[in-house]
Amino acid sequence: MQQLHSYLSGGWVFGQGQAREIHHAITGEPLYQVCSDGLPLAASLDYARNKGGRALAQMTFQQRAQMMKAVAKHLLVHKEALYEISYQTGATRSDGWVDIEGGIATLFAYAGMAGRELPDDTLWPEDEPIPLSKQAQFAARHVLTSRPGVALHINAFNFPCWGMLEKLAPTWLAGMPAIIKPATATAQLTQATVRLIIDSGLVPEGALQLVCGGIGDMFEHLDYQDAVTFTGSAQTGQHLRAHPRLLAKSIAFTMEADSLNCCVLGEDVTPQMPEFALFIKEVCREMTAKAGQKCTAIRRIIVPAKRVAEVQQALLQRLTGVTVGDPKLEQVRMGALVSREQRDDVQQKVEFLLHHGCEPLCGAALDKLELAGEGVQKGAFYPATLLYCADPFSHQAVHGTEAFGPVATLMPYQQTEQAIELALLGQGSLVGSLVTADEALATRFIRATACAHGRMLILDRHAATESTGHGSPLPVLMHGGPGRAGGGEELGGLRAVKHYMQRTAIQGSPAMLAAIGREWMRGATVIEDPVHPFRKYFEQLQLGESLLTARRTVTEADIVNFACLSGDHFYAHMDKIGAAESLFGERVAHGYFVVSAAAGLFVDPGVGPVIANYGMENLRFIEPVKIGDTLQVRLTCKKKIRKPQKNAEDRPHGVVVWDVQVLNQHQQAVALYSILTLVARQEGDMGPAR
């Protein structure tokens, strides 16, 4: 029988103890053995820190992003091999798509976010400088640096590919190596993905390791710079979080646990409305996708008491049409649970619920399950099961017992306030949904229940055409939740990267802060050169390089002409009497005239390295500009972001962020902002610039 090897300290290894046998979810046949006993688990931590960690820490954010993009492309080329393994876990093609291509898409998403927003540096200035003194010679800012530790990711069985990649993306971007411990039941898919990544040679050695089996005494060797993430049952997660080593060393621990997520039908919705059909479709999809083995699946279906019969009828009609069996068959819509052990656990939880206030509406009986396909009778199949709890306020089991399979419980409420109370009885959820067409109802419900959910979906006919659905975590949105859901956060855009970095408040002079952050700030020394900065290529520009422009006096004709050109005839600019009664006391120039006039002062008009204006940030108008005021601009190179070439035809360039200070005749700032320009590079990634 195949042995599923771990990848530790640069080699593929197998344990020496009693191996655990894993079976095919569809046929029940033995697949492979798993064992990590006797492996150098503690040594793998040092290997990650000293080998992979050091290599990643020397790479800039931009280089890490390019590495991840290359890995994602490589995995996409080999995705069909992963789909073949995914079938062995009981997943349909659509289930596998969420897991495999969803995970790859997350790598692409984080590579893209980093490419657009993170510096080409190893240090990340998190915020704008914070002045701490009147003379502006003492300031502070928060910076993020890589921690010289290792991230130990303990993952769940239901998403062996996505669950790994969605954690790897921010971990690698943060410059931290990772050791992956997948759930044994589906470890073959995780291992195949890791093997593809290792064999590609795209990541530094030691940046990724894999433990197939138990983690032994690894917790005993963790240190304060390390991090642990856990996805799985709340009971196991709470046990791990209380480990003495984690407490003694204050080791970061992030937990994402299964929760009893709810979907609420608003009391405004009738069967004739589009929202009713959307509700039925969403509930059934979340019950049957991945055979209900999703931490975000809908477990509690909360509907107005007056709609129970109609909802029940619609759900039963849809659920009884779901074909269960071999996921390779085109007509099959729901595959198997991951193992017979998991199926038995679901059956026990269902029986518990049936003895604590629930009654079966469909499913719940294995002997009546009809399967499509040959040789599937020994598979870990379970029917789509709908239960009903007539009194959800008296029977707390429906709010605390989760059957991790295609199982959900229908329950009634009288008014919206009761629906709110039922939603909160889940004691913390990853996601909750509300289906309604009533904005006032949605406002009341969300404001009352957001405190207990990590994510909330409001679904109506307008959102439905583009909605990603109740159960789909997205890279840009936070994934996690309070209470029973674990109290942790994953994803959420670049905020996830910060979980693996050290935030430090740095205090000092502007010059010192600029040097440390490699980003010029106001108050720091400027460099003045007779050559206009717009005449210089990206590589030639220095941080702090500055231009103090000529002056321009604002006239009444300027204001009138700009008003006619722009169509902006606001009274403060054009009405002498109205302006006199305003807070300005007289007519003032348009703010956008000030910005336009500033550009006229600092722009060099000739053909040169500056390719285009890329945007403007943090614009503030500080003082009014009146007729007769004289403007002058200080333009300073604040930050440079080198952009990689996409292909040989792409002109090599980078983004330059310029600090703009528009001053009046008293040297007072009247407008402050940053502009971004695309500036050509002299040398490209693929040869000299043409």
Side-chain angles (χ1 to χ4, degrees):
M1 185 183 299
Q2 178 188 357
Q3 293 180 334
L4 203 65
H5 287 68
S6 299
Y7 186 75
L8 299 172
S9 301
W12 292 98
V13 291
F14 191 77
Q16 301 170 355
Q18 182 66 39
R20 178 181 170 185
E21 190 173 277
I22 302 302
H23 297 81
H24 198 297
I26 303 301
T27 66
E29 297 175 351
L31 273 179
Y32 58 88
Q33 292 180 329
V34 174
C35 180
S36 61
D37 296 347
L39 296 181
L41 299 175
S44 69
L45 293 168
D46 289 333
Y47 188 78
R49 299 182 190 113
N50 298 323
K51 189 80 172 175
R54 289 180 181 178
L56 286 170
Q58 291 172 2
M59 299 168 67
T60 69
F61 289 102
Q62 292 294 318
Q63 290 170 332
R64 296 169 198 158
Q66 287 303 302
M67 176 193 77
M68 287 164 45
K69 184 176 181 180
V71 169
K73 288 181 176 180
H74 181 73
L75 292 177
L76 204 56
V77 170
H78 297 278
K79 67 180 181 180
E80 290 305 323
L82 299 179
Y83 274 112
E84 285 300 314
I85 299 173
S86 179
Y87 286 126
Q88 299 173 4
T89 70
T92 65
R93 178 80 184 193
S94 59
D95 293 337
W97 180 84
V98 174
D99 185 28
I100 296 166
E101 298 192 48
I104 296 171
T106 301
L107 277 182
F108 275 124
Y110 270 90
M113 284 186 277
R116 292 187 299 271
E117 302 180 43
L118 295 187
D120 189 19
D121 197 354
T122 58
L123 180 142
W124 179 1
E126 186 181 22
D127 51 14
E128 291 296 314
I130 304 165
L132 299 175
S133 66
K134 291 184 178 179
Q135 300 302 317
Q137 286 305 303
F138 186 53
R141 75 183 315 179
H142 294 92
V143 301
L144 295 159
T145 54
S146 297
R147 286 156 41 187
V150 58
L152 174 59
H153 295 313
I154 304 172
N155 296 335
F157 69 79
N158 52 344
F159 288 99
C161 188
W162 177 87
M164 175 181 69
L165 296 178
E166 63 97 1
K167 294 180 181 180
L168 266 183
T171 303
W172 277 345
L173 268 184
M176 184 177 276
I179 297 177
I180 308 299
K181 192 284 176 201
T184 302
T186 54
Q188 76 269 37
L189 182 51
T190 307
Q191 196 241 33
T193 308
V194 170
R195 190 177 287 274
L196 284 171
I197 296 172
I198 297 299
D199 291 348
S200 73
L202 294 169
V203 300
E205 179 54 50
L208 176 61
Q209 297 182 79
L210 174 73
V211 179
C212 293
I215 59 172
D217 64 346
M218 288 184 75
F219 269 43
E220 301 293 341
H221 302 278
L222 294 171
D223 210 342
Y224 79 101
Q225 293 283 6
D226 299 327
V228 178
T229 70
F230 170 81
T231 301
S233 73
Q235 183 178 5
T236 303
Q238 290 162 4
H239 174 74
L240 293 176
R241 179 154 48 193
H243 193 282
R245 183 72 173 183
L246 269 61
L247 298 175
K249 292 288 185 176
S250 299
I251 295 169
F253 182 89
T254 299
M255 175 175 163
E256 187 264 285
D258 307 325
S259 58
L260 285 120
N261 311 296
C262 66
C263 185
V264 178
L265 181 66
E267 58 180 320
D268 63 300
V269 178
T270 67
Q272 293 74 38
M273 295 171 63
E275 283 73 15
F276 187 87
L278 291 172
F279 176 82
I280 300 301
K281 180 180 179 181
E282 195 71 20
V283 169
C284 292
R285 179 172 64 180
E286 289 303 315
M287 285 182 64
T288 57
K290 239 353 192 169
Q293 299 169 113
K294 294 173 60 180
C295 56
T296 54
I298 294 170
R299 305 297 181 195
R300 298 178 300 145
I301 310 165
I302 302 172
V303 303
K306 61 186 177 182
R307 301 290 176 217
V308 166
E310 294 151 317
V311 169
Q312 176 181 324
Q313 180 182 1
L315 287 176
L316 290 177
Q317 181 178 356
R318 197 173 185 100
L319 289 173
T320 53
V322 174
T323 303
V324 182
D326 185 346
K328 284 194 174 184
L329 297 179
E330 186 176 350
Q331 70 269 29
V332 168
R333 291 294 173 265
M334 190 171 79
L337 299 187
V338 71
S339 66
R340 292 175 69 90
E341 291 82 3
Q342 180 63 24
R343 185 195 66 180
D344 293 343
D345 181 75
V346 170
Q347 182 64 42
Q348 290 174 7
K349 297 292 177 56
V350 169
E351 290 174 357
F352 179 82
L353 289 169
L354 292 176
H355 284 89
H356 290 82
C358 295
E359 60 182 275
L361 297 179
C362 74
L366 292 174
D367 57 348
K368 297 181 180 180
L369 181 58
E370 295 183 5
L371 301 175
E374 300 294 331
V376 298
Q377 297 307 314
K378 293 183 179 180
F381 296 97
Y382 197 84
T385 299
L386 182 64
L387 308 179
Y388 178 66
C389 181
D391 188 359
F393 290 101
S394 299
H395 297 95
Q396 295 300 307
V398 295
H399 308 296
T401 304
E402 181 180 28
F404 201 71
V407 181
T409 303
L410 179 65
M411 56 191 73
Y413 71 88
Q414 297 298 328
Q415 297 90 26
T416 298
E417 291 306 315
Q418 282 194 342
I420 291 171
E421 187 177 349
L422 288 173
L424 295 174
L425 284 176
Q427 296 293 299
S429 298
L430 294 171
V431 57
S433 288
L434 172 68
V435 181
T436 181
D438 188 329
E439 294 178 1
L441 188 156
T443 300
R444 187 161 84 254
F445 184 87
I446 297 299
R447 285 175 174 260
T449 59
C451 60
H453 297 84
R455 177 170 58 87
M456 302 198 79
L457 167 69
I458 305 101
L459 188 60
D460 63 9
R461 69 194 72 180
H462 305 294
T465 56
E466 296 182 308
S467 172
T468 52
H470 167 100
S472 300
L474 298 174
V476 295
L477 300 182
M478 194 272 286
H479 178 54
R484 182 186 173 94
E489 283 192 21
E490 297 173 355
L491 299 177
L494 292 179
R495 73 174 67 201
V497 181
K498 299 178 182 181
H499 298 328
Y500 300 98
M501 304 192 77
Q502 178 59 45
R503 177 182 290 107
T504 305
I506 308 295
Q507 297 172 277
S509 68
M512 285 295 184
L513 296 183
I516 292 169
R518 295 179 183 170
E519 183 176 314
W520 183 88
M521 57 183 288
R522 292 171 194 148
T525 305
V526 297
I527 303 168
E528 295 186 300
D529 191 313
V531 179
H532 194 289
F534 278 23
R535 309 306 303 170
K536 296 186 177 184
Y537 285 92
F538 183 84
E539 297 91 339
Q540 296 172 327
L541 281 167
Q542 301 180 65
L543 295 179
E545 193 158 338
S546 185
L547 170 71
L548 184 63
T549 71
R551 299 180 179 88
R552 171 176 178 167
T553 299
V554 178
T555 66
E556 181 180 15
D558 288 330
I559 297 175
V560 173
N561 288 336
F562 189 83
C564 293
L565 181 64
S566 65
D568 180 357
H569 293 85
F570 187 62
Y571 76 91
H573 313 309
M574 302 300 291
D575 183 343
K576 183 176 181 179
I577 297 174
E581 296 173 350
S582 72
L583 62 88
F584 303 116
E586 59 183 289
R587 293 164 65 192
V588 296
H590 305 69
Y592 294 112
F593 167 78
V594 174
V595 172
S596 300
L601 289 170
F602 67 68
V603 167
D604 183 286
V607 176
V610 175
I611 301 170
N613 185 338
Y614 191 56
M616 179 185 297
E617 296 177 339
N618 304 316
L619 173 62
R620 292 292 183 273
F621 297 115
I622 310 300
E623 294 288 339
V625 175
K626 301 176 181 179
I627 297 170
D629 282 352
T630 298
L631 302 180
Q632 188 176 32
V633 181
R634 167 71 73 178
L635 177 78
T636 308
C637 180
K638 177 180 179 181
K639 181 167 59 173
K640 296 167 58 180
I641 305 171
R642 182 181 179 279
K643 292 293 185 181
Q645 279 180 269
K646 296 179 181 178
N647 50 57
E649 287 71 36
D650 183 31
R651 185 178 182 183
H653 68 276
V655 174
V656 177
V657 182
W658 304 87
D659 178 80
V660 181
Q661 302 174 66
V662 186
L663 311 171
N664 63 17
Q665 65 271 25
H666 306 297
Q667 291 299 293
Q668 295 176 307
V670 299
L672 299 172
Y673 54 98
S674 296
I675 62 165
L676 291 76
T677 59
L678 299 181
V679 179
R681 291 193 275 122
Q682 289 176 300
E683 293 288 333
D685 304 328
M686 306 172 187
R690 292 175 298 207

